Amino acid sequence: MKNTITRKDIGYFECLYAGYLKEYYPEAYEQFIAREDHIDLLKKYHVYYHEHMTLLLEILRNDAGFGPRKDFREGLQQDLYERIIAKTKRFVFEGLTDLLAEASWMSA
């Protein structure tokens, strides 16, 4: 099993999550990467993250008329767009992180 965690191999969120573990829970990080299936687990987390981001963005698009960044004017509108996207990413990240906090390798 490959032990290198790169954004290219597993995606943005998975690198963010691995970095979070490494910074805040170094022992849990070491236990996690020692698992043979850690890359597979990170890929599963990607599916969770992607589905939730897609759902939240679809809700924003349908209920609030939220469109792509290019539809907003430069300056305040695009800054607001970027802030909404960043908050949505953090919301999903924190939700999955809370869920995974119950995992045995993190509860040591």
Side-chain angles (χ1 to χ4, degrees):
M1 180 66 55
K2 188 175 175 183
N3 279 340
T4 307
I5 297 174
T6 65
R7 185 174 172 178
K8 181 180 177 184
D9 290 337
I10 57 174
Y12 167 77
F13 171 75
E14 295 65 31
C15 280
L16 183 68
Y17 182 70
Y20 168 82
L21 274 183
K22 190 173 189 177
E23 184 174 346
Y24 296 105
Y25 300 96
E27 290 178 16
Y29 175 78
E30 293 301 323
Q31 289 177 7
F32 180 68
I33 63 167
R35 293 177 60 126
E36 283 191 38
D37 64 344
H38 74 279
I39 295 293
D40 294 330
L41 289 172
L42 288 171
K43 288 178 181 180
K44 288 178 184 178
Y45 304 161
H46 171 76
V47 171
Y48 171 94
Y49 182 75
H50 181 71
E51 287 175 353
H52 282 75
M53 279 298 295
T54 301
L55 176 64
L56 290 174
L57 291 175
E58 198 61 34
I59 289 170
L60 283 171
R61 186 176 300 115
N62 291 332
D63 293 349
F66 198 74
R69 184 180 188 276
K70 66 180 172 120
D71 290 351
F72 295 93
R73 283 183 285 193
E74 288 185 26
L76 184 60
Q77 284 188 350
Q78 287 187 354
D79 291 346
L80 180 59
Y81 173 89
E82 289 170 8
R83 180 121 172 126
I84 290 169
I85 295 299
K87 287 223 175 242
T88 304
K89 285 180 180 178
R90 192 171 75 222
F91 175 75
V92 175
F93 175 76
E94 289 171 353
L96 180 55
T97 303
D98 288 346
L99 178 66
L100 293 174
E102 302 300 320
S104 61
W105 48 264
M106 217 173 145
S107 302

